[in-house]
Amino acid sequence: MNGQSVRLAELELKARADAVKRVAELFQKPEHLEKIDVIRARFVNQKTATEAQLKVALYSQLDGSKVGLDKLDSALGESQTCKSRLYELAAALDNLEGLPNRLRELKNISKKYSQLAAAMENMSYLVKVPEAMEQARTYIEQENLLDGHKIIQELEGIRDELMADAIWEKRSEKNQFKPEGRPKCWKKLLFSSIAQSIRDKVFGSALDSDTDKNKLVRHNEAIRQHTLADLKIAKNICPTYFPPDYGIFDRFVEMYHNAIAAHVEALVVEGLTDAQIVQLLGWINAYHTEEFMKEPALDIDFSRLTLQYPINLLPEQQLDSLRQQYIAKTVERLCTWLTNSLTKDLTDWRRQVAPELDGSSYYFTGLPVLVMTPLNEMIGKGNLLNFLGSSVRESFLIRCVDQMKFFVGEYDNKLKQYHTAYLQDRSQFRFYIEYILANANNAMVIAESFMSVMMQELAEDTQLKGRLQSQINQLKSQFGIVTEHCRLSAEETVMMDMHSVLKNVMTPQWLLPDDITASCFSGTLADYDETLRHVRPNVYQQLVDRIAERLLIEYIKVLLTRRCIFRSDVERRHAGEKILHDMQALKGYFEEKMNVKAEVITAYNALAAIAQFFLTTDTSMLTLDIAVSLCYVTCKLFFVQLDCRAVYFGL
């Protein structure tokens, strides 16, 4: 049994199995046998339909095969025909060998005749063309574009009548003759000439030997004026004389933009100084403003133009490079300026002349003006930063705040060094406290001025203001620390001289009738008060309050720690009187002259309590008075120290 028979047997078995399965599905119940005739008829119909479909498919395939065989037979016949014709063509071509050589002379004669005939036909017009062309070129070079365009239009008319490019192309196909320089491309030549004239005008504005630092500004302004003047002509006059499809105004804008961009690119390639970078960035920033290309009368729409260069004249990457270069150099110059300003002011602190007084009678030096001068030139409406654009402005302001934070640190260090040098040799600094007070004023003035300038600059830029607000506040706090350090230095200076007076208290000399300790207290305070009043009120008030507090503590410390042997009750009572006298002198001056706060004035009553046990006349109560007074004074001193926020007993 071969494979095909096996396959048929398998199919028959499968068919029988499917039939059994189908019959089982149809006759699941006895009552289904009643429908056996209906089911048999249905299967017979299905079988008949299937056989019909198979027959139709078979006949269709047979018809297709027949058609294919007919086409193959037809193709074979056509191939035989083509083969025979190719043989005939090859035989005919063999007979034409050498014909081109025999006809070459005739071809040359015909070509020459056609050229001469065309020249004779148009001779009268050809004679006039060179003269008209030369006249048109002269007008264009003289920027007399209207007359030049008129002549060109006339030539175009001649061309259309006699020598149109299309006609000559057609003729050249027939007689192989084309006049030299055809097609003329007048439109292209016109725009090329205008573009070259514009380029020469733009680049020509920079052709001089002047070495003035504002040379670039002058050149750029000349370019701006030429551009606006020509664009207004192109906007209002040229459309009358040029066909609408020329789009003459847009073409003028494109030509000027490309020429200006090429000029700017050439400047960058040649290299720019710091000043020229500023001038160029400002000019580029103003390019798309109402003063230039956004002139309302021009109504330029850059979106419909075909530009060879970026809309901002330079690629954004190159612009960013110029901006960063400018910012880096500007910040570097600012750093140098601030350092030099501080160094110059530092030399003034050692002068043998007191600092000047301002209109409010406060000490000052030139440092605030020196510090704020470059910032005022850069920051503010109408100033350099706004001229250079928002990108430069934002970057500079951020770095400016950082630079000022560095400066205030250097400023504080220089003041500390100045104070250290003063403590080492006070004789070398005649007006030390005056300059310390001047610097306290300076720190507040610089902080207030810088805050004012920055807040005005950031008033309309809430986003940048939010980024810088905390840093600006921190900077203000740092200047406040400088002011506080100056106040502490002034306080220490006053106390150094007050300590010299305190050395006399509770000594034998202090008990002498001609002792002038109280007068020394008042005199020293009066001398210093005359100087201290030249510092700003808030610093002055803190300063005198602290001096009064410290002097009270130091005086009580002397009374409690310095041992003085009294030879009699009279001397003891005299010591009590001296304490009261000193207390009244100090208390009176602080209260009446310096307006020290009330709680400090009240604390001076502790001296009266101490004086009472020196003044007692009952010797039997002396021990108790001493114990009670010492207890009272110790407690009072504790509260004074607590209230004054400092403990000086360890000094």
Side-chain angles (χ1 to χ4, degrees):
M1 184 179 293
N2 55 23
Q4 185 175 3
S5 299
V6 173
R7 177 64 177 166
L8 290 174
E10 291 177 353
L11 291 175
E12 183 178 358
L13 291 175
K14 184 177 180 181
R16 288 181 179 277
D18 291 340
V20 171
K21 183 178 179 181
R22 186 69 183 277
V23 170
E25 291 176 354
L26 293 173
F27 299 101
Q28 294 181 1
K29 296 181 181 180
E31 55 267 22
H32 290 167
L33 294 174
E34 297 176 357
K35 301 179 181 179
I36 190 169
D37 294 334
V38 176
I39 294 172
R40 182 185 291 111
R42 185 191 305 164
F43 274 99
V44 170
N45 292 336
Q46 289 179 353
K47 179 181 178 183
T48 302
T50 302
E51 289 177 351
Q53 291 176 355
L54 290 173
K55 288 179 181 179
V56 170
L58 180 60
Y59 289 144
S60 297
Q61 290 182 356
L62 291 174
D63 290 341
S65 300
K66 182 178 179 181
V67 172
L69 290 172
D70 291 341
K71 288 184 177 180
L72 287 173
D73 185 60
S74 175
L76 179 60
E78 291 177 357
S79 298
Q80 294 295 336
T81 303
C82 290
K83 182 177 179 181
S84 61
R85 289 184 178 179
L86 286 173
Y87 283 131
E88 294 174 0
L89 181 60
L93 290 175
D94 290 339
N95 296 329
L96 295 177
E97 185 177 359
L99 182 61
N101 294 329
R102 294 195 296 271
L103 295 178
R104 183 177 294 111
E105 184 177 357
L106 179 61
K107 177 182 177 182
N108 292 336
I109 294 173
S110 176
K111 181 178 179 181
K112 184 176 181 180
Y113 175 80
S114 298
Q115 291 174 344
L116 292 173
M120 290 299 295
E121 182 181 353
N122 299 289
M123 184 61 69
S124 60
Y125 298 103
L126 292 174
V127 170
K128 297 179 182 179
V129 169
E131 181 181 352
M133 280 295 299
E134 188 63 31
Q135 184 64 37
R137 186 183 301 277
T138 301
Y139 282 143
I140 292 174
E141 290 177 351
Q142 294 175 354
E143 298 187 5
N144 191 352
L145 301 180
L146 297 180
D147 290 338
H149 185 262
K150 180 180 178 182
I151 293 176
I152 292 173
Q153 278 189 319
E154 293 175 355
L155 292 174
E156 286 181 342
I158 296 174
R159 179 202 64 187
D160 293 340
E161 292 179 8
L162 302 175
M163 301 179 67
D165 292 335
I167 296 174
W168 282 105
E169 288 290 342
K170 186 175 181 179
R171 289 179 179 178
S172 65
E173 293 176 1
K174 293 181 178 180
N175 52 34
Q176 302 300 315
F177 171 71
K178 181 183 290 187
E180 184 180 356
R182 285 288 169 179
K184 289 296 186 180
C185 302
W186 292 113
K187 181 177 179 181
K188 181 179 179 181
L189 182 60
L190 169 68
F191 285 141
S192 176
S193 299
I194 296 175
Q196 185 60 45
S197 176
I198 289 174
R199 182 181 177 87
D200 292 343
K201 184 180 294 186
V202 169
F203 278 81
S205 299
L207 295 179
D208 64 48
S209 58
D210 192 358
T211 57
D212 180 17
K213 65 179 181 180
N214 293 322
K215 171 183 175 181
L216 185 59
V217 175
R218 189 171 62 255
H219 294 164
N220 290 341
E221 178 60 19
I223 292 172
R224 187 186 72 85
Q225 292 180 1
H226 286 316
T227 302
L228 291 178
D230 286 354
L231 289 182
K232 287 177 181 178
I233 293 174
K235 177 76 173 181
N236 301 315
I237 299 177
C238 288
T240 305
Y241 298 93
F242 286 85
D245 62 295
Y246 275 39
I248 190 65
F249 175 66
D250 287 347
R251 302 294 81 75
F252 260 86
V253 175
E254 291 172 357
M255 294 173 194
Y256 261 108
H257 176 85
N258 294 332
I260 292 172
H263 171 61
V264 171
E265 185 179 56
L267 290 175
V268 174
V269 171
E270 291 174 4
L272 299 169
T273 64
D274 294 349
Q276 288 175 334
I277 290 176
V278 175
Q279 295 163 2
L280 183 61
L281 285 175
W283 194 61
I284 292 175
N285 188 51
Y287 184 70
H288 289 286
T289 65
E290 293 185 356
E291 297 178 356
F292 206 161
M293 286 301 193
K294 289 296 183 180
E295 165 71 41
L298 297 178
D299 191 24
I300 298 173
D301 184 3
F302 277 88
S303 64
R304 66 171 184 248
L305 304 181
T306 303
L307 305 176
Q308 298 177 5
Y309 291 86
I311 193 170
N312 289 325
L313 302 178
L314 287 175
E316 195 62 30
Q317 183 178 2
Q318 201 167 13
L319 278 175
D320 285 340
S321 176
L322 286 176
R323 291 172 185 140
Q324 294 305 318
Q325 182 180 349
Y326 163 74
I327 292 170
K329 291 185 177 180
T330 302
V331 172
E332 182 181 353
R333 287 197 300 271
L334 177 61
C335 177
T336 303
W337 175 273
L338 293 177
T339 301
N340 293 340
S341 299
L342 185 56
T343 302
K344 179 182 181 303
D345 206 59
L346 181 60
T347 59
D348 292 343
W349 301 348
R350 296 174 176 267
R351 293 189 306 169
Q352 298 301 312
V353 180
E356 298 179 21
L357 297 173
D358 62 13
S360 300
S361 192
Y362 300 143
Y363 286 131
F364 76 96
T365 67
L367 186 61
V369 174
L370 290 174
V371 169
M372 294 305 299
T373 295
L375 299 178
N376 288 328
E377 291 177 355
M378 293 288 297
I379 303 173
K381 290 186 177 179
N383 286 356
L384 188 56
L385 279 185
N386 285 278
F387 175 67
L388 295 176
S390 59
S391 177
V392 174
R393 170 178 167 273
E394 180 175 339
S395 298
F396 176 79
L397 291 178
I398 293 173
R399 296 189 63 177
C400 178
V401 173
D402 293 337
Q403 189 59 48
M404 287 298 292
K405 290 168 69 176
F406 175 78
F407 166 75
V408 72
E410 289 295 307
Y411 187 21
D412 197 26
N413 289 335
K414 294 297 182 183
L415 286 170
K416 290 177 181 178
Q417 294 173 10
Y418 179 56
H419 181 64
T420 302
Y422 170 73
L423 295 179
Q424 291 174 352
D425 187 359
R426 296 181 67 186
S427 64
Q428 298 296 320
F429 301 87
R430 180 181 175 186
F431 295 99
Y432 168 79
I433 193 168
E434 286 85 353
Y435 279 102
I436 280 293
L437 296 177
N439 279 289
N441 293 330
N442 287 347
M444 288 187 287
V445 170
I446 295 173
E448 292 170 1
S449 300
F450 187 76
M451 284 284 292
S452 175
V453 169
M454 290 296 290
M455 290 301 101
Q456 290 179 7
E457 180 68 19
L458 299 173
E460 299 178 1
D461 192 343
T462 54
Q463 184 176 3
L464 182 58
K465 183 178 180 180
R467 291 174 57 188
L468 291 177
Q469 186 68 60
S470 61
Q471 297 184 49
I472 294 175
N473 292 338
Q474 183 181 1
L475 180 62
K476 184 179 180 181
S477 299
Q478 288 180 280
F479 274 108
I481 292 173
V482 173
T483 301
E484 178 64 13
H485 288 169
C486 291
R487 187 195 66 76
L488 291 173
S489 297
E491 176 186 326
E492 185 175 356
T493 302
V494 174
M495 290 306 300
M496 289 172 66
D497 287 338
M498 298 306 292
H499 275 295
S500 299
V501 180
L502 284 170
K503 289 180 180 179
N504 295 326
V505 177
M506 296 296 288
T507 63
Q509 292 80 6
W510 180 59
L511 298 174
L512 295 176
D514 58 349
D515 176 65
I516 57 172
T517 299
S519 299
C520 288
F521 278 130
S522 300
T524 303
L525 289 174
D527 288 343
Y528 274 113
D529 189 32
E530 185 177 350
T531 300
L532 298 180
R533 289 188 179 276
H534 297 301
V535 73
R536 291 198 165 196
N538 58 327
V539 179
Y540 172 80
Q541 194 59 53
Q542 295 176 20
L543 185 55
V544 296
D545 287 346
R546 289 291 297 130
I547 290 173
E549 292 171 0
R550 287 190 61 180
L551 186 56
L552 172 60
I553 293 171
E554 294 298 322
Y555 197 103
I556 294 175
K557 178 182 175 182
V558 169
L559 295 179
L560 297 180
T561 59
R562 186 171 295 166
R563 185 175 182 181
C564 181
I565 300 175
F566 302 118
R567 291 173 295 182
S568 64
D569 290 342
V570 175
E571 283 190 354
R572 174 173 54 79
R573 287 193 294 273
H574 183 56
E577 293 171 354
K578 292 286 291 183
I579 294 172
L580 287 176
H581 185 61
D582 290 346
M583 180 202 74
Q584 292 170 356
L586 292 172
K587 183 178 178 181
Y589 194 90
F590 283 133
E591 185 175 15
E592 297 173 7
K593 302 295 184 180
M594 291 185 168
N595 197 26
V596 173
K597 59 185 179 181
E599 51 265 36
V600 178
I601 298 299
T602 302
Y604 269 82
N605 294 331
L607 295 178
I610 296 175
Q612 289 303 317
F613 93 87
F614 286 97
L615 295 171
T616 184
T617 57
D618 187 355
T619 56
S620 63
M621 297 295 292
L622 184 58
T623 303
L624 180 60
D625 285 344
I626 292 174
V628 173
S629 296
L630 288 177
C631 180
Y632 171 77
V633 170
T634 302
C635 293
K636 190 71 174 180
L637 180 60
F638 171 76
F639 286 112
V640 169
Q641 289 175 305
L642 184 62
D643 182 63
C644 296
R645 299 174 303 279
V647 178
Y648 289 90
F649 277 18
L651 297 178

